[in-house]
Amino acid sequence: MSTTKQVTATAFSAWPGNDPVEALKIVRGELGTPHTPFLPQLPDRGVGSDAIGRTASLLVELPVDVQPHGWRLVDRPGKDIRRAHSALSTDINILADIAGAEQQPSDELKIELVGPLTLSSALYVHRGERAVSDHGARREIAESLAAGVGQHLTRIQSAVPGTRLVVQVDEHMAASALAGTLPTASGYRTLRSIPGAEATATWTLLVDALRDAGAHEIVFSLAAKDAPLQRILHSGADGFALDVAGISREQWDITAGAVESGKRLWAGLELASSQSGSASKAADQIIVPWRELGLPLNTLGAVRVMPAQPLDRGTPQQGKTVLGRLSAAADAINQRMLG
């Protein structure tokens, strides 16, 4: 089994504030090599800068716009999707400027996408229901997203030449879609469950498209409860991201097997404490279960740590503080791993 040499850090892409220059400078400053900085998403900027709007802007020949209940598939592009395109172009241009001015640019960059099941759960069709309720709409969204990610990665690679691109696919609604617990638009009932085999095929389609576009690493971010870990692994993804506090014993066993076969765990850690020794306590969140699983500490290189929650609910300064604690936690794990 091959493992990476050390534990590294990254975070969810959602970031507080509305200044992309400030956001990129903080993120790249706090998560320089060997860690993995990310292209921030700034939902405080409004429509089009939210996670759904940003990913929907990548869809090929499937225009969307904002309606009172959320993003909806429409016949022709409108002002909302144009705002999403504009915000993304601005962010990529700023990334190119900031990275180009660095003496030692980061080796990696993480970009974040909403996965096809979560995207179709968040988008609505003309009749006002979630797109995930319509098999044809699910298929079109999955195929359109797979077609659009290549151009997206190419644009980012042009902004940071030579940088390895790491992709985080957010599927926090996947378990609900598979279990049939997603509420309808009216909220009076739930939608029919999505077949598991269809989900696996959909994820495989996206993973293959990302690989073809040059993605170096692809990890799916999931809500821990009922997370379809085996299906994610069968899709060809490199691993999954989970909040460590929510991982069940069965999921830890699956994780151990995945690590032993060369997959990765992005471990979401609680980093709120500012007390002395908090880096060591944060490190214990992954080291203790690792030992309980009987995994040798020298395999912790399969772990990338991240905050358990997105950072956009605070302030940029609070986000910077959390990233500092995160890199300190990674250092503490590495010290324990190396003895």
Side-chain angles (χ1 to χ4, degrees), residues 1-4 229-230 232-234 236-240 253-265 290 295 299 302:
M1 180 189 66
S2 62
T3 61
T4 54
L229 302 184
Q230 296 286 22
I232 293 297
L233 296 173
H234 290 158
D238 295 303
F240 38 78
D253 290 339
I254 294 172
T255 299
V259 167
E260 290 172 340
S261 67
K263 299 295 185 178
R264 301 203 64 179
L265 170 65
W290 212 256
L295 289 169
T299 63

Side-chain angles (χ1 to χ4, degrees), residues 89-111:
S89 294
T90 295
D91 291 352
I92 294 175
N93 289 337
I94 293 171
L95 170 66
D97 291 341
I98 291 176
E102 293 172 343
Q103 292 185 343
Q104 292 183 316
S106 297
D107 294 335
E108 293 184 335
L109 174 72
K110 181 182 75 74
I111 60 175

Side-chain angles (χ1 to χ4, degrees), residues 69 124 127-130 182-191:
H69 50 274
Y124 292 81
R127 65 178 183 274
E129 191 50 85
R130 296 179 190 269
L182 277 176
T184 59
S186 67
Y188 292 124
R189 60 186 181 86
T190 57
L191 298 173

Side-chain angles (χ1 to χ4, degrees), residues 44 52 79 89 251 332:
D44 287 348
I52 298 300
K79 60 179 174 54
S89 294
Q251 290 172 330

Side-chain angles (χ1 to χ4, degrees), residues 16-298:
N18 54 22
D19 185 343
V21 174
E22 176 192 49
L24 271 164
K25 286 183 176 179
I26 290 175
V27 169
R28 295 181 72 83
E30 295 296 324
L31 294 179
T33 303
H35 305 305
T36 303
F38 51 89
L39 180 64
Q41 295 178 5
L42 304 172
D44 287 348
R45 285 193 295 189
V47 171
S49 292
D50 58 294
I52 298 300
R54 171 152 291 189
T55 300
S57 74
L58 307 179
L59 296 175
V60 175
E61 296 182 357
L62 272 185
V64 298
D65 216 337
V66 175
Q67 304 294 323
H69 50 274
W71 287 95
R72 191 181 75 171
L73 296 167
V74 294
D75 294 329
R76 59 184 60 85
K79 60 179 174 54
D80 295 323
I81 203 63
R82 287 195 293 270
R83 288 179 63 181
H85 285 139
S86 177
L88 180 55
S89 294
T90 295
D91 291 352
I92 294 175
N93 289 337
I94 293 171
L95 170 66
D97 291 341
I98 291 176
E102 293 172 343
Q103 292 185 343
Q104 292 183 316
S106 297
D107 294 335
E108 293 184 335
L109 174 72
K110 181 182 75 74
I111 60 175
E112 190 169 328
L113 307 170
V114 175
L117 259 65
T118 297
L119 187 61
S120 61
S121 298
L123 295 178
Y124 292 81
V125 293
H126 290 282
R127 65 178 183 274
E129 191 50 85
R130 296 179 190 269
V132 74
S133 66
D134 185 302
H135 178 268
R138 294 197 304 269
R139 184 185 66 251
E140 288 184 357
I141 289 169
E143 292 175 348
S144 179
L145 181 60
V149 294
Q151 182 180 1
H152 182 48
L153 264 63
T154 297
R155 291 177 66 193
I156 295 177
Q157 190 69 77
S158 296
V160 285
T163 301
R164 295 189 300 269
L165 297 185
V166 176
V167 181
Q168 177 184 343
V169 181
D170 178 11
E171 279 286 23
H172 68 277
M173 299 175 76
S176 296
L178 287 164
T181 57
L182 277 176
T184 59
S186 67
Y188 292 124
R189 60 186 181 86
T190 57
L191 298 173
R192 183 178 302 175
S193 61
I194 305 302
E198 178 188 329
T200 304
T202 296
W203 290 328
T204 301
L205 176 68
L206 179 61
V207 168
D208 288 346
L210 290 167
R211 295 265 188 240
D212 290 344
H216 174 71
E217 181 180 342
I218 304 163
V219 165
F220 280 67
S221 174
L222 304 154
K225 180 176 172 55
D226 300 324
L229 302 184
Q230 296 286 22
R231 294 198 175 278
I232 293 297
L233 296 173
H234 290 158
S235 75
D238 295 303
F240 38 78
L242 296 169
D243 178 353
V244 168
I247 302 179
S248 68
R249 178 65 200 194
E250 180 183 0
Q251 290 172 330
W252 273 120
D253 290 339
I254 294 172
T255 299
V259 167
E260 290 172 340
S261 67
K263 299 295 185 178
R264 301 203 64 179
L265 170 65
W266 289 17
L269 306 180
E270 292 295 336
L271 298 161
S273 173
S274 60
Q275 299 174 359
S276 175
S278 60
S280 178
K281 292 177 182 177
D284 283 340
Q285 294 176 50
I286 186 66
I287 289 175
V288 170
W290 212 256
R291 283 175 167 157
E292 290 175 347
L293 289 167
L295 289 169
L297 290 186
N298 63 8

